[in-house]
Amino acid sequence: MAKRDYYEVLGVNKDATEGDIKSAFRKLARKYHPDVNKDDPQAEEKFKELNEAYSVLSDPKTRSEYDQFGHAGAAGQGFGGFDFGGFDFGGFGGGFGDIFDTIFGSEGFGGRRGSGRQGPLRGSDMRYNLTISFEEAAFGTTKEIEIARHEVCDECGGSGALKGTQPETCSKCSGAGEISYSQNTAFGRFVNVRACDRCGGEGTTISKPCTKCNGRKKIRKIKKISLNIPAGIDNGQAITLRGEGEAGERGGPSGDLYVYVTVKPHALFVREGYDIHCEVPITFVQAALGDNIEVPTLGGRVKYKIPEGTQTGTVFRLKNQGVQRLRSSSRGDLFIKVNIDVPKRLREKQKQLLRQFEDETKGKEYYEQKKSFVEKMKDVFGV
């Protein structure tokens, strides 16, 4: 079967540039790669044909010979002669994968299209851990923090060059930031593109570095930041400060700073969301007769009336005495749990009074919980 025209194989015109040829090959190579078309028996042959066309047209010398002599090639020797024997079309390892690494770069099949001169790059994000008190979290506060970060050098403006000078165009890559390498393989000759090792893909070099940053373009500084902590913030939450992270590269934006908050435990309160809980001990007499007891709140101590006959473990709710909600003026509630504190080390006279009280109430319905419990025991044991 007669060979197809190489320009036709790649789908380009005869006046196509090297870039056009390269772009067309990339597109078609992905389309006809055998690993992508495992069910197509013709994929391997199409890929061979594609590689043969590219190996000829990507080289100015062989392209000129092809334009002049056609498939006969220079001196009638012809092009082609590709031996695909021994290559594994079922996977990338040791076969087409190695070739695709050469064609498309280290990211392999489906990866990026070469390195090229690097553009602006965003700076890295940073983290800062801040510990605050329970009250500061509840009411909000302002803290001054210090972070060590890299900033654009104010002496050279981030160019890295000595003040009054400018970076120079890289002599190795001519400012492109990348270099093309030719490689002969069993598939033919391929052109591989890599970042320039002299300028690191920048496209420029510095002959006279800045005396302040030594050509690094950034300097390390201690930055003081006034941080507004909103009322209602909770343990483990973070505050984001946009643009307060590490400086970017090549004019890119700075990263962000994330301040993670740790709230110290309180001696009296336990927080659950925006509500707070507190346990208050009371005496037997206060529980039996009722009383105005003193309870703690975030705003200070207040009086709260408990009714007579209050049982241990009873919980009272004080509305709007909890933590202020984030971005709101409303607040959670305060829950007070009372526990009867049984006295110890009583004097004999006090014991006698209690015994008299016990005798006075024995057999009468003063103790509802005890009466209910006794009745349940009778149901269980039948006595």
Side-chain angles (χ1 to χ4, degrees):
M1 182 180 292
K3 290 187 176 181
R4 287 201 299 159
D5 179 77
Y6 287 151
Y7 290 101
E8 179 185 344
V9 172
L10 292 175
V12 297
N13 298 322
K14 289 191 175 183
D15 59 351
T17 64
E18 289 185 22
D20 294 335
I21 292 173
K22 186 175 182 179
S23 177
F25 174 70
R26 289 178 185 274
K27 181 178 179 181
L28 293 172
R30 288 188 173 92
K31 181 178 179 180
Y32 293 116
H33 191 282
D35 282 350
V36 180
N37 301 274
K38 294 181 179 179
D39 298 330
D40 184 2
Q42 302 298 319
E44 180 180 331
E45 293 301 322
K46 291 178 182 178
F47 194 75
K48 290 180 183 179
E49 181 184 47
L50 184 64
N51 274 289
E52 182 177 325
Y54 178 72
S55 66
V56 172
L57 298 184
S58 62
D59 181 84
K61 182 175 181 298
T62 55
R63 180 180 180 181
S64 176
E65 292 173 353
Y66 176 75
D67 289 342
Q68 186 174 359
F69 301 105
H71 288 294
Q77 296 177 16
F79 302 108
F82 299 98
D83 179 13
F84 289 85
F87 285 90
D88 175 17
F89 291 94
F92 292 117
F96 272 104
D98 295 335
I99 301 304
F100 257 60
D101 282 347
T102 300
I103 300 171
F104 296 107
S106 60
E107 294 187 24
F109 182 65
R112 60 188 177 88
R113 297 180 170 227
S115 52
R117 184 169 181 173
Q118 300 180 33
L121 183 66
R122 182 179 179 274
S124 300
D125 294 332
M126 297 180 66
R127 172 174 179 149
Y128 185 93
N129 296 322
L130 178 66
T131 300
I132 60 176
S133 69
F134 193 95
E135 287 81 4
E136 287 173 329
F139 296 110
T141 187
T142 299
K143 291 283 188 180
E144 185 175 77
I145 62 175
E146 292 185 354
I147 59 170
R149 68 182 185 186
H150 289 94
E151 299 181 359
V152 174
C153 177
D154 52 7
E155 178 72 15
C156 64
S159 70
L162 184 68
K163 194 171 184 178
T165 67
Q166 293 293 329
E168 302 168 354
T169 300
C170 177
S171 58
K172 188 170 184 179
C173 67
S174 300
E178 62 183 21
I179 298 176
S180 299
Y181 298 90
S182 298
Q183 182 176 354
N184 293 319
T185 71
F187 296 98
R189 193 188 66 84
F190 292 104
V191 178
N192 190 22
V193 179
R194 292 285 186 266
C196 177
D197 55 358
R198 176 169 293 178
C199 65
E202 295 279 351
T204 59
T205 57
I206 300 171
S207 59
K208 295 180 179 180
C210 171
T211 56
K212 188 170 184 178
C213 67
N214 199 28
R216 295 186 179 91
K217 304 179 182 181
K218 294 186 287 187
I219 55 177
R220 190 170 178 82
K221 285 187 174 181
I222 302 297
K223 174 70 180 294
K224 291 184 178 181
I225 299 176
S226 180
L227 176 65
N228 179 41
I229 299 175
I233 196 166
D234 205 352
N235 190 64
Q237 292 183 328
I239 300 172
T240 303
L241 300 178
R242 302 295 182 191
E244 293 291 356
E246 295 279 12
E249 301 281 352
R250 297 178 292 279
S254 296
D256 299 330
L257 173 64
Y258 294 90
V259 180
Y260 284 83
V261 175
T262 298
V263 181
K264 294 179 182 178
H266 197 274
L268 297 175
F269 302 120
V270 174
R271 179 173 173 176
E272 291 184 5
Y274 296 107
D275 297 329
I276 56 176
H277 298 256
C278 179
E279 294 191 8
V280 178
I282 60 175
T283 68
F284 165 76
V285 176
Q286 287 176 314
L289 302 181
D291 194 11
N292 284 315
I293 64 172
E294 192 174 68
V295 298
T297 70
L298 288 173
R301 292 178 292 187
V302 299
K303 290 289 186 178
Y304 185 81
K305 183 176 179 57
I306 59 172
E308 64 178 57
T310 295
Q311 303 298 309
T312 188
T314 301
V315 177
F316 298 98
R317 178 183 179 185
L318 283 69
K319 292 185 177 181
N320 301 317
Q321 291 295 324
V323 177
Q324 182 175 324
R325 302 179 190 275
L326 281 171
R327 296 174 292 277
S328 174
S329 58
S330 66
R331 298 173 63 176
D333 299 328
L334 167 62
F335 292 89
I336 297 295
K337 179 181 179 182
V338 295
N339 295 317
I340 298 177
D341 189 7
V342 178
K344 298 179 179 180
R345 297 181 296 276
L346 294 175
R347 294 191 297 273
E348 186 58 34
K349 183 178 180 180
Q350 293 170 327
K351 293 178 181 180
Q352 289 178 1
L353 291 173
L354 287 176
R355 291 189 187 101
Q356 291 176 13
F357 176 80
E358 180 70 9
D359 291 338
E360 182 67 24
T361 58
K362 187 176 296 185
K364 298 183 180 179
E365 297 180 355
Y366 292 106
Y367 298 102
E368 294 180 0
Q369 293 185 36
K370 184 177 180 180
K371 176 184 176 183
S372 175
F373 181 73
V374 170
E375 290 175 351
K376 289 178 181 177
M377 281 202 303
K378 288 181 180 179
D379 291 339
V380 172
F381 299 108
V383 179

